[in-house]
Amino acid sequence: MTQTVLHIDSSARYQGSTSRSLSAQIVERLGADEVIRRDLASPLPQLTENWINANFTPADDRDAVQRDLLALSDQLVEELKAADTIVIGTPVYNFAVPASLKAWIDLIARVGLTFSYSEAGPKGLLEGKRAIIAVASGGTQFGSDIDFFSGYLRHIMGFVGITDVHFVAADALMADADAAMARANTAIDALAA
């Protein structure tokens, strides 16, 4: 069976980025047949009123300008749909995810494409996928009271239907980098391909 991985990095740093290093190790460990690469260091656009209006216009009624406004979002959704496993490398900036990753989330969380509404509430449409999130933080400990990123990312993944979510955390690197990297490498070694 072929496996497709969507590999997303959101660190603003290219050199010396722990989250980039960890996400690359995870992708290598998975040994995927195909890897779709999305680097968020090149910023994605923020949502605008025109984008929102285009998004809520029925697809058959959209004009060329609206279709153009949604083209990148459509592409990001297709990348997500094509993947069996999503690997996200993210640093922790100011106790949360980088703005670049939040912009990606805003562009892929689309009613009718990645989730739907029902009488029972929202339902994710991307079931059967797995997400592995590599997190690097200087001072924020994973799972602590000031960890505002892991619960958010787990919730967003579940919101679009991805409930098989694993974290590889190199947390509190500034306190003990060697121990943090050892924990992260152990978690990577434990991942099933």
Side-chain angles (χ1 to χ4, degrees):
M1 183 170 86
T2 62
Q3 181 187 9
T4 300
V5 168
L6 172 57
H7 180 190
I8 299 168
D9 275 316
S10 61
S11 176
R13 296 171 59 199
Y14 290 100
Q15 301 299 317
S17 168
T18 300
S19 65
R20 284 179 182 276
S21 174
L22 292 174
S23 70
Q25 289 177 55
I26 292 166
V27 170
E28 183 178 336
R29 170 93 171 127
L30 295 176
D33 301 290
E34 180 183 359
V35 177
I36 302 166
R37 187 79 173 95
R38 177 60 63 179
D39 195 323
L40 303 180
S42 297
L44 295 173
Q46 299 293 310
L47 299 187
T48 64
E49 181 178 13
N50 289 338
W51 187 96
I52 291 170
N53 290 338
N55 186 48
F56 285 103
T57 298
D60 292 341
D61 296 337
R62 290 177 188 143
D63 62 28
V65 172
Q66 290 174 319
R67 287 191 300 274
D68 188 53
L69 280 170
L70 296 175
L72 176 58
S73 174
D74 291 341
Q75 180 182 351
L76 297 174
V77 168
E78 288 307 312
E79 290 172 357
L80 195 51
K81 287 181 174 181
D84 302 296
T85 301
I86 296 88
V87 175
I88 300 173
T90 183
V92 176
Y93 291 162
N94 303 311
F95 310 103
V97 299
S100 60
L101 184 53
K102 176 63 167 75
W104 178 83
I105 290 166
D106 288 343
L107 291 168
I108 62 92
R110 290 184 53 198
V111 68
L113 296 179
T114 57
F115 72 96
S116 64
Y117 287 113
S118 70
E119 290 179 10
K123 177 176 175 19
L125 301 177
L126 302 178
E127 295 175 330
K129 300 178 184 296
R130 171 171 67 157
I132 304 169
I133 302 171
V135 177
S137 74
T140 304
Q141 187 175 14
F142 182 80
S144 70
D145 288 344
I146 59 170
D147 167 2
F148 302 111
F149 53 88
S150 65
Y152 172 70
L153 290 172
R154 186 179 302 279
H155 178 79
I156 288 295
M157 291 293 108
F159 182 70
V160 297
I162 303 168
T163 56
D164 184 4
V165 180
H166 305 272
F167 284 89
V168 171
D171 57 341
L173 284 160
M174 299 305 281
D176 190 343
D178 291 338
M181 291 307 297
R183 288 190 305 273
N185 288 324
T186 298
I188 292 171
D189 290 343
L191 290 172

